[in-house]
Amino acid sequence: MKPLTEQVVGYIAGEGYEVTDHIALEIPNNLEVGARDPVALDKIVDRLDHSRADAVILSACVQMPSLAAIQKVQDRIGKPVLSAAVATTYQILKKLELKPVVPGAGELLSGRY
């Protein structure tokens, strides 16, 4: 929803990062969000102006499936792509003192960090 999207954009900007564009999908029901096809994110990124961005956050909703689209979109647009689920996975693996490596899950989980 737009208010939540604006809150996330504000948080990211408050951390010192420029948000160059964003899209709110306007899906009010969390069950519907969780039932979305992650591959649909590949089409949504085409509506996003990421020309000046260093990276793309494909989804900031932890309940939205995104993993199946992360590497596909990253390979297509040539920029690091992450999602709330990817960032959460990274943090969990780090806290468990495991290597944050998930093949095919994008730059953050590539093992370089």
XYZ file of all heavy atoms in Angstrom:
851
model
N 0.842 -1.174 0.000
C 0.000 0.000 0.000
C 0.898 1.252 0.000
O 2.003 1.225 0.540
C -0.912 -0.032 1.210
C -1.826 -1.278 1.270
S -2.892 -1.502 -0.151
C -3.942 -0.101 -0.032
N 0.401 2.310 -0.575
C 1.215 3.522 -0.703
C 1.754 4.039 0.631
O 2.939 4.370 0.708
C 0.436 4.609 -1.428
C 0.320 4.353 -2.907
C -0.410 5.473 -3.607
C -0.566 5.104 -5.077
N -1.320 6.107 -5.822
N 0.957 4.123 1.701
C 1.512 4.632 2.954
C 2.670 3.779 3.495
O 3.671 4.314 3.970
C 0.324 4.605 3.915
C -0.883 4.658 3.038
C -0.498 3.899 1.793
N 2.542 2.468 3.394
C 3.616 1.589 3.852
C 4.843 1.722 2.956
O 5.980 1.774 3.440
C 3.142 0.138 3.904
C 4.172 -0.877 4.389
C 4.700 -0.518 5.768
C 3.565 -2.276 4.388
N 4.620 1.821 1.657
C 5.728 2.005 0.726
C 6.472 3.297 1.032
O 7.705 3.325 1.063
C 5.217 2.013 -0.731
O 4.574 0.765 -1.001
C 6.347 2.233 -1.716
N 5.727 4.369 1.279
C 6.353 5.651 1.624
C 7.145 5.552 2.925
O 8.212 6.157 3.064
C 5.299 6.754 1.721
C 4.637 7.089 0.396
C 5.588 7.698 -0.619
O 6.586 8.325 -0.228
O 5.321 7.550 -1.825
N 6.649 4.782 3.870
C 7.359 4.591 5.140
C 8.685 3.860 4.902
O 9.715 4.243 5.462
C 6.480 3.808 6.112
C 7.073 3.677 7.489
C 6.114 2.959 8.451
O 5.052 2.480 8.077
N 6.517 2.888 9.696
N 8.662 2.830 4.069
C 9.889 2.092 3.748
C 10.870 2.993 3.004
O 12.063 3.025 3.315
C 9.569 0.823 2.926
C 10.844 0.169 2.409
C 8.755 -0.162 3.758
N 10.378 3.759 2.033
C 11.227 4.697 1.294
C 11.855 5.701 2.259
O 13.050 5.991 2.179
C 10.422 5.422 0.188
C 11.187 6.608 -0.372
C 10.056 4.442 -0.922
N 11.059 6.216 3.190
C 11.573 7.159 4.177
C 12.646 6.549 5.064
O 13.645 7.203 5.388
N 12.449 5.305 5.448
C 13.443 4.617 6.282
C 14.761 4.468 5.519
O 15.826 4.777 6.047
C 12.926 3.244 6.719
C 13.964 2.453 7.468
C 14.199 2.692 8.815
C 14.740 1.502 6.822
C 15.172 1.994 9.505
C 15.720 0.800 7.496
C 15.934 1.048 8.832
O 16.906 0.360 9.504
N 14.675 3.999 4.280
C 15.888 3.805 3.476
C 16.594 5.141 3.254
O 17.814 5.244 3.404
C 15.541 3.121 2.138
C 15.066 1.680 2.411
C 16.732 3.134 1.183
C 14.448 1.001 1.212
N 15.835 6.179 2.938
C 16.424 7.517 2.755
C 17.040 8.015 4.050
O 18.106 8.637 4.036
C 15.360 8.485 2.245
N 16.380 7.727 5.164
C 16.906 8.140 6.466
C 18.220 7.468 6.817
O 18.984 7.974 7.635
N 18.489 6.339 6.212
C 19.761 5.637 6.415
C 20.854 6.160 5.489
O 21.970 5.658 5.489
C 19.577 4.131 6.220
C 18.725 3.484 7.295
C 19.366 3.561 8.669
O 20.568 3.224 8.791
O 18.675 3.972 9.626
N 20.506 7.180 4.679
C 21.500 7.820 3.834
C 21.548 7.346 2.390
O 22.473 7.686 1.658
N 20.558 6.583 1.975
C 20.517 6.092 0.599
C 19.478 6.855 -0.209
O 18.388 7.135 0.290
C 20.189 4.591 0.562
C 21.224 3.757 1.260
C 21.042 3.369 2.582
C 22.390 3.379 0.605
C 22.005 2.606 3.235
C 23.347 2.630 1.244
C 23.150 2.240 2.571
O 24.102 1.502 3.205
N 19.802 7.168 -1.439
C 18.842 7.830 -2.312
C 17.950 6.780 -2.963
O 18.433 5.826 -3.575
C 19.560 8.616 -3.401
C 18.606 9.310 -4.351
C 19.303 9.994 -5.513
O 20.541 9.918 -5.620
O 18.584 10.598 -6.328
N 16.663 6.944 -2.807
C 15.701 6.076 -3.479
C 15.306 6.785 -4.768
O 14.704 7.854 -4.725
C 14.466 5.811 -2.578
C 13.437 4.975 -3.317
C 14.887 5.146 -1.273
N 15.659 6.202 -5.894
C 15.452 6.889 -7.173
C 14.051 6.684 -7.740
O 13.596 7.479 -8.554
C 16.494 6.450 -8.215
O 16.367 5.042 -8.443
C 17.902 6.779 -7.738
N 13.367 5.621 -7.345
C 12.009 5.360 -7.798
C 11.432 4.252 -6.926
O 12.180 3.506 -6.287
C 11.994 4.931 -9.270
C 10.606 4.995 -9.910
O 9.678 5.545 -9.284
O 10.459 4.499 -11.038
N 10.124 4.172 -6.886
C 9.471 3.096 -6.138
C 8.072 2.853 -6.690
O 7.506 3.725 -7.355
C 9.415 3.410 -4.642
C 8.600 4.615 -4.311
N 9.098 5.895 -4.411
C 7.324 4.745 -3.878
C 8.161 6.753 -4.054
N 7.064 6.078 -3.743
N 7.574 1.669 -6.419
C 6.237 1.276 -6.864
C 5.514 0.647 -5.684
O 6.088 -0.190 -4.978
C 6.313 0.253 -8.019
C 6.962 0.875 -9.254
C 4.929 -0.300 -8.352
C 7.264 -0.119 -10.361
N 4.273 1.036 -5.483
C 3.410 0.392 -4.492
C 2.423 -0.476 -5.262
O 1.740 0.013 -6.166
C 2.671 1.430 -3.658
N 2.352 -1.753 -4.929
C 1.463 -2.654 -5.656
C 0.007 -2.523 -5.240
O -0.876 -3.000 -5.950
C 1.923 -4.105 -5.488
C 3.300 -4.414 -6.058
C 3.632 -5.884 -5.848
C 3.380 -4.048 -7.527
N -0.245 -1.869 -4.110
C -1.621 -1.624 -3.657
C -2.426 -2.927 -3.480
O -3.547 -3.041 -3.964
C -2.342 -0.668 -4.612
C -1.754 0.733 -4.638
C -1.862 1.454 -3.301
O -2.960 1.570 -2.753
O -0.815 1.897 -2.803
N -1.822 -3.869 -2.771
C -2.510 -5.115 -2.434
C -2.740 -5.093 -0.925
O -1.804 -5.308 -0.151
C -1.670 -6.346 -2.829
C -1.310 -6.291 -4.310
C -2.425 -7.632 -2.500
C -0.300 -7.336 -4.735
N -3.974 -4.833 -0.477
C -4.220 -4.659 0.953
C -4.243 -5.957 1.767
O -4.038 -5.924 2.975
C -5.597 -3.988 0.999
C -6.263 -4.408 -0.271
C -5.164 -4.566 -1.279
N -4.438 -7.094 1.136
C -4.579 -8.351 1.850
C -3.242 -9.098 1.856
O -2.727 -9.473 0.799
C -5.667 -9.195 1.166
C -5.932 -10.489 1.886
O -5.022 -11.262 2.162
N -7.203 -10.743 2.175
N -2.684 -9.333 3.059
C -1.390 -10.009 3.166
C -1.414 -11.424 2.605
O -0.394 -11.914 2.113
C -0.906 -10.028 4.615
C -0.272 -8.724 5.008
O 0.207 -7.973 4.159
N -0.260 -8.428 6.289
N -2.557 -12.106 2.689
C -2.646 -13.445 2.109
C -2.511 -13.381 0.585
O -1.878 -14.245 -0.022
C -3.958 -14.126 2.505
C -4.091 -14.477 3.991
C -5.466 -15.070 4.278
C -2.991 -15.427 4.430
N -3.082 -12.349 -0.014
C -2.930 -12.161 -1.460
C -1.481 -11.835 -1.817
O -0.965 -12.305 -2.834
C -3.845 -11.047 -1.960
C -5.307 -11.409 -1.966
C -6.190 -10.256 -2.434
O -5.735 -9.456 -3.281
O -7.325 -10.170 -1.948
N -0.835 -11.051 -0.982
C 0.579 -10.730 -1.208
C 1.401 -12.020 -1.187
O 2.231 -12.267 -2.062
C 1.112 -9.734 -0.151
C 2.622 -9.574 -0.271
C 0.425 -8.388 -0.292
N 1.155 -12.854 -0.196
C 1.890 -14.110 -0.066
C 1.598 -15.115 -1.164
O 2.384 -16.031 -1.388
N 0.478 -14.960 -1.841
C 0.092 -15.890 -2.898
C 0.560 -15.445 -4.288
O 0.349 -16.156 -5.260
C -1.428 -16.062 -2.900
N 1.204 -14.296 -4.363
C 1.632 -13.788 -5.672
C 2.720 -14.668 -6.277
O 3.543 -15.238 -5.569
C 2.161 -12.355 -5.547
C 1.029 -11.371 -5.282
C 1.425 -9.944 -5.481
N 2.092 -9.654 -6.724
C 1.477 -9.282 -7.846
N 0.180 -9.168 -7.892
N 2.176 -8.997 -8.932
N 2.723 -14.717 -7.585
C 3.745 -15.444 -8.327
C 5.020 -14.600 -8.303
O 5.022 -13.468 -8.802
C 3.271 -15.659 -9.760
C 4.280 -16.383 -10.624
O 5.365 -16.756 -10.135
O 3.972 -16.582 -11.817
N 6.122 -15.120 -7.753
C 7.352 -14.311 -7.683
C 7.883 -13.924 -9.063
O 8.520 -12.884 -9.202
C 8.340 -15.212 -6.946
C 7.780 -16.574 -7.014
C 6.302 -16.442 -7.171
N 7.597 -14.701 -10.056
C 8.078 -14.386 -11.399
C 7.433 -13.108 -11.931
O 8.000 -12.416 -12.773
C 7.860 -15.595 -12.343
C 8.343 -15.291 -13.755
C 8.601 -16.813 -11.790
N 6.265 -12.745 -11.409
C 5.606 -11.504 -11.819
C 6.459 -10.281 -11.484
O 6.327 -9.235 -12.122
C 4.239 -11.390 -11.164
N 7.337 -10.406 -10.500
C 8.225 -9.294 -10.145
C 9.147 -8.925 -11.305
O 9.566 -7.778 -11.430
C 9.043 -9.636 -8.897
C 8.248 -9.748 -7.602
C 9.099 -10.363 -6.499
C 7.717 -8.389 -7.185
N 9.444 -9.883 -12.156
C 10.286 -9.625 -13.323
C 9.641 -8.602 -14.251
O 10.321 -7.767 -14.837
C 10.546 -10.936 -14.071
C 11.544 -10.758 -15.203
O 12.524 -10.027 -15.031
O 11.320 -11.359 -16.276
N 8.332 -8.633 -14.358
C 7.613 -7.668 -15.202
C 7.458 -6.322 -14.485
O 7.510 -5.272 -15.107
C 6.233 -8.211 -15.582
C 6.282 -9.516 -16.317
C 6.814 -9.344 -17.717
C 6.742 -10.646 -18.472
N 8.002 -11.091 -18.982
N 7.269 -6.358 -13.183
C 7.075 -5.128 -12.411
C 8.329 -4.261 -12.451
O 8.242 -3.038 -12.535
C 6.657 -5.459 -10.966
C 5.250 -6.080 -10.977
C 6.691 -4.218 -10.076
C 4.836 -6.702 -9.660
N 9.499 -4.873 -12.429
C 10.741 -4.087 -12.447
C 10.862 -3.270 -13.728
O 11.507 -2.225 -13.746
C 11.978 -4.984 -12.211
C 12.365 -5.742 -13.461
C 13.153 -4.169 -11.700
N 10.191 -3.702 -14.787
C 10.221 -2.934 -16.034
C 9.500 -1.599 -15.908
O 9.752 -0.681 -16.687
C 9.607 -3.750 -17.180
C 10.475 -4.929 -17.578
O 11.693 -4.902 -17.304
O 9.928 -5.895 -18.144
N 8.604 -1.475 -14.935
C 7.904 -0.205 -14.698
C 8.697 0.729 -13.781
O 8.306 1.862 -13.560
C 6.541 -0.486 -14.066
C 5.640 -1.294 -14.946
C 4.256 -1.584 -14.371
N 3.952 -1.061 -13.060
C 3.336 -1.759 -12.113
N 2.981 -3.006 -12.314
N 3.061 -1.200 -10.952
N 9.792 0.240 -13.255
C 10.603 0.993 -12.302
C 11.758 1.678 -13.033
O 12.468 1.044 -13.810
C 11.156 0.014 -11.263
C 11.913 0.566 -10.075
C 10.962 1.324 -9.160
C 12.552 -0.586 -9.315
N 11.938 2.977 -12.778
C 13.084 3.674 -13.362
C 14.293 3.433 -12.464
O 14.467 4.095 -11.448
C 12.797 5.175 -13.492
C 13.981 5.939 -14.078
O 14.988 5.303 -14.487
O 13.907 7.174 -14.112
N 15.112 2.483 -12.844
C 16.300 2.153 -12.058
C 17.577 2.596 -12.779
O 18.673 2.158 -12.433
C 16.341 0.652 -11.742
C 16.231 -0.229 -12.929
N 17.299 -0.511 -13.737
C 15.172 -0.875 -13.456
C 16.909 -1.311 -14.709
N 15.613 -1.548 -14.566
N 17.428 3.503 -13.740
C 18.568 3.936 -14.544
C 19.676 4.572 -13.703
O 20.857 4.426 -14.030
C 18.110 4.898 -15.645
O 17.488 6.047 -15.085
N 19.332 5.262 -12.619
C 20.340 5.910 -11.771
C 20.632 5.110 -10.507
O 21.453 5.514 -9.690
C 19.892 7.315 -11.382
C 19.749 8.259 -12.569
C 19.377 9.688 -12.163
N 18.185 9.765 -11.346
C 18.159 10.204 -10.076
N 19.247 10.626 -9.492
N 17.024 10.225 -9.399
N 19.991 3.974 -10.354
C 20.136 3.180 -9.122
C 21.377 2.300 -9.179
O 21.755 1.804 -10.237
C 18.893 2.319 -8.922
N 21.991 2.095 -8.028
C 23.116 1.172 -7.911
C 22.626 -0.252 -7.670
O 23.333 -1.219 -7.946
C 24.030 1.582 -6.751
C 24.715 2.912 -7.000
O 25.051 3.199 -8.165
O 24.910 3.667 -6.031
N 21.424 -0.374 -7.107
C 20.830 -1.673 -6.793
C 19.315 -1.519 -6.815
O 18.796 -0.402 -6.765
C 21.292 -2.151 -5.424
N 18.616 -2.646 -6.865
C 17.156 -2.643 -6.872
C 16.650 -3.536 -5.746
O 17.102 -4.674 -5.605
C 16.606 -3.141 -8.229
C 15.104 -3.358 -8.165
C 16.953 -2.162 -9.338
N 15.738 -2.999 -4.957
C 15.024 -3.798 -3.972
C 13.753 -4.258 -4.670
O 12.858 -3.455 -4.924
C 14.709 -3.002 -2.701
C 16.003 -2.522 -2.052
C 13.882 -3.861 -1.736
C 15.794 -1.574 -0.889
N 13.708 -5.520 -5.003
C 12.599 -6.044 -5.795
C 11.325 -6.151 -4.978
O 10.234 -5.998 -5.506
C 12.988 -7.408 -6.362
C 12.220 -7.914 -7.551
C 12.262 -6.932 -8.716
C 12.777 -9.258 -7.997
N 11.464 -6.405 -3.698
C 10.303 -6.473 -2.810
C 10.751 -6.140 -1.396
O 11.731 -6.677 -0.913
C 9.687 -7.874 -2.822
O 8.738 -8.003 -1.791
N 10.013 -5.244 -0.751
C 10.299 -4.905 0.637
C 9.328 -5.607 1.582
O 9.320 -5.333 2.763
C 10.231 -3.394 0.840
N 8.516 -6.517 1.059
C 7.540 -7.261 1.863
C 8.078 -8.654 2.138
O 8.307 -9.418 1.199
C 6.212 -7.398 1.117
S 5.430 -5.840 0.719
N 8.262 -8.982 3.417
C 8.793 -10.311 3.727
C 7.820 -11.417 3.346
O 8.222 -12.542 3.102
C 9.202 -10.441 5.211
C 10.395 -9.574 5.522
C 8.045 -10.140 6.130
N 6.536 -11.113 3.276
C 5.571 -12.156 2.939
C 5.435 -12.377 1.430
O 4.823 -13.326 1.001
C 4.195 -11.870 3.565
C 3.446 -10.712 2.964
C 3.752 -9.388 3.631
O 4.831 -9.162 4.141
N 2.794 -8.477 3.616
N 6.010 -11.493 0.608
C 5.915 -11.664 -0.842
C 7.025 -12.591 -1.332
O 8.206 -12.300 -1.155
C 6.029 -10.332 -1.573
C 5.944 -10.495 -3.091
S 6.019 -8.942 -3.969
C 4.378 -8.328 -3.641
N 6.661 -13.697 -1.973
C 7.688 -14.573 -2.528
C 8.502 -13.822 -3.581
O 7.932 -13.159 -4.442
C 6.879 -15.708 -3.174
C 5.522 -15.629 -2.573
C 5.310 -14.191 -2.210
N 9.815 -13.907 -3.477
C 10.654 -13.155 -4.407
C 11.869 -13.932 -4.891
O 12.453 -13.579 -5.912
C 11.126 -11.855 -3.749
O 11.876 -12.144 -2.579
N 12.264 -14.965 -4.188
C 13.532 -15.629 -4.472
C 13.644 -16.106 -5.922
O 14.695 -15.969 -6.540
C 13.757 -16.799 -3.515
C 15.140 -17.430 -3.567
C 16.234 -16.403 -3.324
C 15.238 -18.565 -2.565
N 12.576 -16.635 -6.475
C 12.629 -17.156 -7.843
C 12.908 -16.070 -8.873
O 13.343 -16.371 -9.987
C 11.318 -17.871 -8.175
N 12.694 -14.817 -8.526
C 12.897 -13.717 -9.479
C 14.219 -12.985 -9.276
O 14.679 -12.299 -10.200
C 11.751 -12.713 -9.362
N 14.829 -13.101 -8.120
C 16.003 -12.281 -7.785
C 17.121 -12.415 -8.819
O 17.555 -11.432 -9.412
C 16.529 -12.615 -6.370
C 15.480 -12.305 -5.302
C 17.848 -11.900 -6.088
C 15.155 -10.843 -5.125
N 17.636 -13.619 -9.011
C 18.767 -13.799 -9.922
C 18.381 -13.485 -11.360
O 19.161 -12.881 -12.099
C 19.310 -15.225 -9.819
C 20.647 -15.404 -10.516
C 21.767 -14.669 -9.800
O 21.954 -14.827 -8.594
N 22.514 -13.852 -10.526
N 17.174 -13.865 -11.755
C 16.703 -13.617 -13.119
C 16.701 -12.117 -13.424
O 17.206 -11.679 -14.457
C 15.301 -14.192 -13.291
C 14.712 -14.006 -14.656
C 13.325 -14.618 -14.737
C 12.720 -14.377 -16.101
N 11.375 -14.923 -16.213
N 16.152 -11.330 -12.503
C 16.098 -9.876 -12.704
C 17.501 -9.285 -12.641
O 17.869 -8.440 -13.452
C 15.152 -9.210 -11.680
C 15.245 -7.693 -11.760
C 13.718 -9.671 -11.902
N 18.306 -9.739 -11.692
C 19.677 -9.228 -11.563
C 20.467 -9.471 -12.848
O 21.149 -8.567 -13.348
C 20.378 -9.896 -10.378
C 21.796 -9.403 -10.173
C 22.400 -9.942 -8.907
O 21.963 -9.600 -7.820
N 23.397 -10.794 -9.032
N 20.364 -10.666 -13.391
C 21.081 -10.968 -14.632
C 20.581 -10.098 -15.784
O 21.368 -9.648 -16.618
C 20.904 -12.449 -14.998
C 21.630 -13.380 -14.036
O 22.478 -12.913 -13.250
O 21.314 -14.589 -14.070
N 19.291 -9.842 -15.810
C 18.704 -9.070 -16.910
C 19.056 -7.587 -16.840
O 19.379 -6.978 -17.861
C 17.194 -9.251 -16.936
C 16.534 -8.615 -18.148
C 15.122 -9.093 -18.348
N 14.218 -8.774 -17.271
C 13.625 -7.594 -17.096
N 13.858 -6.597 -17.926
N 12.794 -7.408 -16.101
N 18.997 -6.995 -15.636
C 19.228 -5.548 -15.555
C 20.688 -5.191 -15.271
O 21.066 -4.032 -15.368
C 18.294 -4.867 -14.530
C 18.622 -5.273 -13.092
C 16.834 -5.141 -14.868
C 17.880 -4.478 -12.033
N 21.494 -6.176 -14.864
C 22.920 -5.933 -14.641
C 23.246 -5.152 -13.391
O 24.294 -4.513 -13.307
N 22.349 -5.211 -12.403
C 22.569 -4.527 -11.121
C 22.222 -5.490 -9.997
O 21.386 -6.381 -10.178
C 21.662 -3.304 -10.995
C 21.947 -2.240 -12.011
C 20.995 -1.078 -11.876
C 21.340 -0.064 -12.967
N 20.598 1.155 -12.836
N 22.833 -5.303 -8.819
C 22.442 -6.142 -7.689
C 20.953 -5.977 -7.377
O 20.428 -4.868 -7.395
C 23.297 -5.616 -6.537
C 24.466 -4.970 -7.201
C 23.912 -4.385 -8.477
N 20.297 -7.094 -7.125
C 18.878 -7.109 -6.799
C 18.712 -7.847 -5.477
O 19.302 -8.905 -5.272
C 18.057 -7.806 -7.915
C 16.604 -7.953 -7.518
C 18.178 -7.023 -9.222
N 17.926 -7.274 -4.592
C 17.648 -7.931 -3.327
C 16.198 -7.722 -2.942
O 15.474 -6.989 -3.592
C 18.586 -7.459 -2.225
C 18.570 -5.976 -1.904
C 18.379 -5.769 -0.429
C 19.886 -5.382 -2.345
N 15.802 -8.393 -1.898
C 14.439 -8.269 -1.384
C 14.509 -8.378 0.130
O 15.552 -8.717 0.696
C 13.548 -9.371 -1.954
O 13.928 -10.635 -1.444
N 13.392 -8.123 0.772
C 13.343 -8.260 2.227
C 13.660 -9.698 2.624
O 14.369 -9.940 3.605
C 11.968 -7.849 2.755
N 13.172 -10.651 1.844
C 13.440 -12.064 2.155
C 14.924 -12.390 2.007
O 15.493 -13.119 2.832
C 12.595 -12.962 1.254
N 15.573 -11.851 0.992
C 17.004 -12.074 0.791
C 17.805 -11.454 1.938
O 18.711 -12.075 2.497
C 17.462 -11.516 -0.575
C 18.979 -11.457 -0.672
C 16.886 -12.352 -1.702
N 17.461 -10.215 2.306
C 18.172 -9.537 3.394
C 17.962 -10.271 4.724
O 18.900 -10.402 5.520
C 17.703 -8.088 3.509
N 16.759 -10.768 4.947
C 16.471 -11.517 6.173
C 17.276 -12.812 6.195
O 17.872 -13.170 7.224
C 14.963 -11.812 6.286
O 14.258 -10.570 6.310
C 14.644 -12.612 7.535
N 17.311 -13.515 5.077
C 18.097 -14.753 4.983
C 19.565 -14.477 5.263
O 20.214 -15.218 6.010
C 17.926 -15.380 3.584
O 16.540 -15.674 3.383
C 18.754 -16.632 3.428
N 20.084 -13.401 4.690
C 21.481 -13.017 4.913
C 21.761 -12.812 6.407
O 22.721 -13.350 6.950
C 21.794 -11.743 4.123
C 23.180 -11.209 4.340
C 24.254 -11.708 3.613
C 23.423 -10.198 5.268
C 25.535 -11.222 3.798
C 24.696 -9.707 5.466
C 25.747 -10.213 4.735
O 27.013 -9.733 4.938
N 20.889 -12.054 7.057
C 21.088 -11.772 8.484
C 20.972 -13.035 9.338
O 21.741 -13.218 10.281
C 20.094 -10.717 8.963
C 20.412 -9.324 8.503
C 21.759 -8.830 9.027
O 22.158 -9.098 10.155
N 22.477 -8.115 8.190
N 20.037 -13.901 9.031
C 19.886 -15.148 9.788
C 21.142 -16.006 9.651
O 21.669 -16.516 10.655
C 18.637 -15.923 9.326
C 17.369 -15.196 9.772
C 18.653 -17.364 9.854
C 16.093 -15.751 9.163
N 21.618 -16.168 8.430
C 22.820 -16.977 8.225
C 24.026 -16.390 8.953
O 24.810 -17.125 9.555
C 23.100 -17.136 6.729
C 22.085 -17.978 5.960
C 22.356 -17.900 4.459
C 22.083 -19.417 6.434
N 24.170 -15.066 8.907
C 25.281 -14.416 9.613
C 25.173 -14.624 11.131
O 26.166 -14.927 11.785
C 25.320 -12.916 9.293
C 25.646 -12.580 7.857
C 27.085 -12.852 7.508
C 27.940 -11.695 7.980
N 29.319 -11.796 7.555
N 23.983 -14.458 11.679
C 23.781 -14.636 13.126
C 24.061 -16.075 13.555
O 24.505 -16.319 14.672
C 22.364 -14.233 13.543
C 22.094 -12.760 13.440
C 22.840 -11.984 14.480
C 22.476 -10.514 14.370
N 23.305 -9.670 15.203
N 23.779 -17.025 12.674
C 24.043 -18.436 12.967
C 25.492 -18.816 12.677
O 25.883 -19.972 12.825
C 23.108 -19.327 12.147
C 21.638 -19.268 12.519
C 20.800 -20.067 11.521
C 21.418 -19.771 13.943
N 26.278 -17.812 12.277
C 27.684 -17.990 11.932
C 27.864 -18.998 10.797
O 28.788 -19.807 10.800
C 28.509 -18.352 13.172
C 28.475 -17.244 14.216
C 29.300 -17.541 15.449
O 29.983 -18.582 15.508
O 29.272 -16.709 16.370
N 26.946 -18.931 9.846
C 27.022 -19.733 8.638
C 27.365 -18.825 7.466
O 27.084 -17.625 7.507
C 25.677 -20.419 8.374
C 25.210 -21.400 9.450
C 23.770 -21.825 9.187
C 26.128 -22.607 9.507
N 27.951 -19.379 6.445
C 28.263 -18.577 5.261
C 26.957 -18.141 4.612
O 26.088 -18.967 4.345
C 29.094 -19.380 4.271
C 30.503 -19.607 4.726
C 31.298 -20.293 3.637
C 32.737 -20.455 4.086
N 33.558 -21.060 3.024
N 26.820 -16.845 4.344
C 25.594 -16.347 3.707
C 25.620 -16.588 2.198
O 25.738 -15.662 1.405
C 25.593 -14.864 4.058
C 27.039 -14.525 4.185
C 27.715 -15.764 4.716
N 25.548 -17.850 1.830
C 25.632 -18.228 0.429
C 24.403 -19.046 0.051
O 24.123 -20.083 0.653
C 26.901 -19.056 0.151
C 26.951 -19.496 -1.304
C 28.147 -18.274 0.515
N 23.679 -18.543 -0.927
C 22.551 -19.265 -1.516
C 22.704 -19.106 -3.028
O 22.449 -18.021 -3.561
C 21.191 -18.713 -1.034
C 20.053 -19.488 -1.693
C 21.085 -18.763 0.482
N 23.172 -20.134 -3.703
C 23.377 -20.021 -5.149
C 22.096 -19.599 -5.880
O 21.004 -20.080 -5.587
C 23.785 -21.450 -5.553
C 24.373 -22.034 -4.302
C 23.548 -21.449 -3.183
N 22.261 -18.672 -6.810
C 21.143 -18.215 -7.622
C 20.184 -17.291 -6.903
O 19.078 -17.067 -7.376
N 20.606 -16.722 -5.768
C 19.730 -15.849 -4.984
C 20.196 -14.401 -4.983
O 19.858 -13.631 -4.103
C 19.607 -16.368 -3.560
N 21.004 -14.024 -5.954
C 21.416 -12.631 -6.079
C 22.738 -12.310 -5.410
O 23.374 -13.147 -4.768
N 23.136 -11.080 -5.590
C 24.442 -10.591 -5.152
C 24.673 -10.723 -3.641
O 25.730 -11.170 -3.213
C 24.601 -9.128 -5.584
C 25.937 -8.515 -5.260
C 27.091 -9.107 -6.060
O 26.861 -9.691 -7.135
O 28.242 -8.970 -5.608
N 23.697 -10.326 -2.827
C 23.902 -10.342 -1.380
C 24.185 -11.751 -0.860
O 24.960 -11.923 0.072
C 22.686 -9.755 -0.655
C 22.818 -9.583 0.854
C 23.986 -8.645 1.205
C 21.519 -9.057 1.444
N 23.595 -12.752 -1.468
C 23.784 -14.130 -1.020
C 24.778 -14.893 -1.908
O 24.803 -16.116 -1.906
C 22.434 -14.862 -0.971
C 21.483 -14.304 0.089
C 20.117 -14.967 -0.036
C 22.045 -14.492 1.485
N 25.613 -14.145 -2.593
C 26.596 -14.749 -3.491
C 27.842 -15.255 -2.761
O 28.642 -15.980 -3.343
C 27.045 -13.729 -4.549
O 27.798 -12.692 -3.938
N 28.024 -14.840 -1.506
C 29.208 -15.227 -0.749
C 30.299 -14.188 -0.779
O 31.356 -14.357 -0.157
N 30.078 -13.095 -1.462
C 31.090 -12.031 -1.539
C 31.041 -11.087 -0.346
O 31.898 -10.235 -0.203
C 30.927 -11.246 -2.832
C 31.262 -12.056 -4.076
C 31.313 -11.167 -5.311
N 30.088 -11.158 -6.065
C 29.729 -12.058 -6.964
N 30.511 -13.087 -7.194
N 28.612 -11.948 -7.636
N 30.025 -11.207 0.495
C 29.868 -10.264 1.611
C 29.871 -10.977 2.933
O 29.440 -12.038 3.102
C 28.547 -9.471 1.459
C 28.472 -8.757 0.136
C 27.823 -9.325 -0.948
C 29.067 -7.534 -0.022
C 27.774 -8.688 -2.168
C 29.017 -6.885 -1.239
C 28.371 -7.459 -2.301
O 28.329 -6.804 -3.505
